Amino acid sequence: MVQHIGIDLGTSTIKISYGDEKYLIPSLIGEPNPGWGGGVGDKSLENNMILIDGSEKWYVGELARLQSEVRRSLASDGQMKSAEETFIAIKAALGLIINEEDEEIVIATGVPVATSIEVMKNLSKMLKGTLEINIENDATKEKKNISINIKKTLVMPEPYGTYYSVLKEKGADEAVDTVLIDIGHGSTDILTMYQGRPMRTASGSLREAIDTLTNRMAKALQEKTGAIIKPFDLMMVVKKQRDTVMIGGQTYSIEDLKGHYTKQISKVIIDEVLRLISSLPPDAFIEYYIICGGGAYTLGNAIKDAIIEGKLVSSPENVIIPEDPVLSNAKGFEMISMSQ
Ligand SMILES: Nc1ncnc2c1ncn2[C@@H]1O[C@H](COP(=O)(O)OP(=O)(O)O)[C@@H](O)[C@H]1O
Ligand SMILES: [Mg+2]
């Protein structure tokens, strides 16, 4: 039986959808930092992955985030930097989810919209044929060697997964013109689907995303308190949808600050959407606006309101935020791989 896997390569997190199994893996690889393993913490393979590639070893995902001194994020400036490094992370992810020897696999994967065609092509070339995967669990030292046979890999722009899953769920099988706004951590991707195809001139990517919010909040809080605040630490505050932060033992309200920057960033995103769709041919009619990515939790409603107020849609119901905006791309890619 052929296995179907959906992978969404985000700027901060790789999402994997494989039947009932869903994984969120930080988009990081790092150099091994031996001697720090063996604690009493989480011993799951997911959080302790080492990929062994010939004489080289890489920490992948959460292990790289927590233990590697030298680590690299797979994406920067809203695009996947290199096919080779992305390949390392995907191999580890496949080693994590596949348990049977010689399994046949079809993969559909999405990359940020700004990723070069070159990187996309290389990635689909690498992810083909027989792969020998060797991984190790850093906590238990258990090794897993597996050989898989990849029949086909499709590499597409990230938000296409959500387009597919949302339209399928709606039962709309005809290609309806749709604008997807995927608010990630390091970039916001805008994908315009016109007559069932991605339209390059009306699609694009912008740097304003959730890390813009955490960077600006960190700066403002730093000025206010004099303490050094790392934007990264504020990511959890955003994720947990907190309205206060604790700095130096004191609690500060961030409600106004967050509200202020949320509004500003939403405006920038909407302006870019308007600019991009102005290049559409006059016969285009955008039926749906779909807002996805983890940023939809924070910025989704502000952007939705702006789209409705700007009368970009005929009815408010046509602005959609999927039920699980973080996993909607990966789920869609899994469905696409099944359709192959
Ligand atoms: N449930 C949630 N509530 C609020 N924010 C979230 C939630 N899940 C993820 N986020 C935040 O949304 C941002 C974008 O996440 P994601 O779409 O996974 O980014 P990317 O695809 O660029 O890796 C991240 O900063 C993340 O912390
Ligand atoms: Mg994303």
Side-chain angles (χ1 to χ4, degrees), residues 17-323:
S17 180
Y18 175 54
D20 291 334
E21 292 176 43
K22 314 280 176 215
Y23 295 97
L24 300 176
I25 300 170
S27 308
L28 294 170
I29 58 171
E31 297 199 345
N33 196 4
W36 286 96
V40 286
D42 186 344
K43 289 193 184 333
S44 68
L45 179 57
E46 179 182 359
N47 293 328
N48 292 282
M49 257 191 307
I50 305 177
L51 180 85
I52 304 159
D53 197 6
S55 59
E56 285 190 302
K57 275 188 175 190
W58 298 92
Y59 282 11
V60 178
E62 187 65 6
L63 184 64
R65 186 174 81 82
L66 294 180
Q67 301 293 2
S68 292
E69 236 167 308
V70 182
R71 57 171 183 250
R72 297 168 55 84
S73 42
L74 299 174
S76 73
D77 291 327
Q79 52 177 287
M80 297 322 278
K81 282 184 288 199
S82 89
E84 287 76 13
E85 288 183 353
T86 309
F87 184 53
I88 291 169
I90 293 184
K91 264 204 286 194
L94 291 172
L96 170 70
I97 58 179
I98 301 294
N99 292 312
E100 305 272 330
E101 196 64 34
D102 296 319
E103 207 76 82
E104 298 207 316
I105 291 170
V106 176
I107 301 170
T109 181
V111 292
V113 169
T115 304
S116 72
I117 301 277
E118 186 75 16
V119 169
M120 285 170 83
K121 270 193 192 152
N122 283 343
L123 198 57
S124 62
K125 234 185 272 165
M126 285 170 177
L127 288 164
K128 215 174 187 180
T130 306
L131 287 188
E132 299 289 335
I133 298 174
N134 295 316
I135 55 173
E136 184 183 329
N137 181 325
D138 184 55
T140 64
K141 302 295 169 208
E142 260 170 82
K143 286 204 166 79
K144 187 169 166 187
N145 298 335
I146 205 152
S147 171
I148 59 171
N149 181 11
I150 305 178
K151 296 193 76 104
K152 191 172 191 179
T153 295
L154 297 164
V155 182
M156 289 167 283
E158 246 182 313
Y160 188 82
T162 296
Y163 170 71
Y164 194 89
S165 61
V166 169
L167 289 197
K168 268 275 142 69
E169 252 162 53
K170 283 193 147 302
D173 54 0
E174 256 177 273
V176 273
D177 297 350
T178 302
V179 172
L180 292 121
I181 304 166
D182 182 339
I183 311 163
H185 187 72
S187 75
T188 294
D189 285 356
I190 297 159
L191 179 69
T192 299
M193 295 297 299
Y194 172 64
Q195 296 186 343
R197 291 180 179 198
M199 191 166 170
R200 277 212 159 242
T201 50
S203 304
S205 169
L206 65 164
R207 267 300 276 117
E208 279 75 9
I210 295 302
D211 73 341
T212 322
L213 180 68
T214 51
N215 283 338
R216 293 197 191 162
M217 281 183 8
K219 223 176 190 177
L221 281 170
Q222 200 157 318
E223 269 162 27
K224 194 166 161 180
T225 64
I228 293 172
I229 294 149
K230 289 199 210 114
F232 192 81
D233 297 335
L234 292 176
M235 191 171 116
M236 274 327 271
V237 175
V238 170
K239 211 164 170 175
K240 289 182 178 162
Q241 304 181 24
R242 291 261 163 84
D243 283 328
T244 57
V245 287
M246 175 109 90
I247 297 162
Q250 274 201 49
T251 304
Y252 294 87
S253 166
I254 51 164
E255 218 176 332
D256 291 345
L257 203 60
K258 203 172 130 192
H260 174 75
Y261 288 120
T262 303
K263 234 185 247 161
Q264 273 199 353
I265 297 166
S266 311
K267 265 196 199 135
V268 175
I269 294 174
I270 279 291
D271 283 351
E272 184 62 9
V273 169
L274 290 173
R275 193 185 70 78
L276 287 170
I277 61 169
S278 69
S279 74
L280 278 170
D283 62 298
F285 177 77
I286 304 293
E287 179 100 22
Y288 298 114
Y289 280 80
I290 306 174
I291 306 162
C292 62
Y297 287 107
T298 314
L299 302 172
N301 284 331
I303 290 175
K304 185 175 177 168
D305 291 347
I307 292 171
I308 295 167
E309 270 163 38
K311 298 205 168 47
L312 297 181
V313 280
S314 54
S315 137
E317 290 98 73
N318 290 8
V319 188
I320 301 165
I321 300 177
E323 204 180 314

Side-chain angles (χ1 to χ4, degrees), residues 8 13 15 24 162 292-297 322-330:
D8 172 6
T13 318
K15 294 94 179 165
L24 300 176
T162 296
C292 62
Y297 287 107
E323 204 180 314
D324 189 342
V326 172
L327 274 166
S328 56
N329 286 329

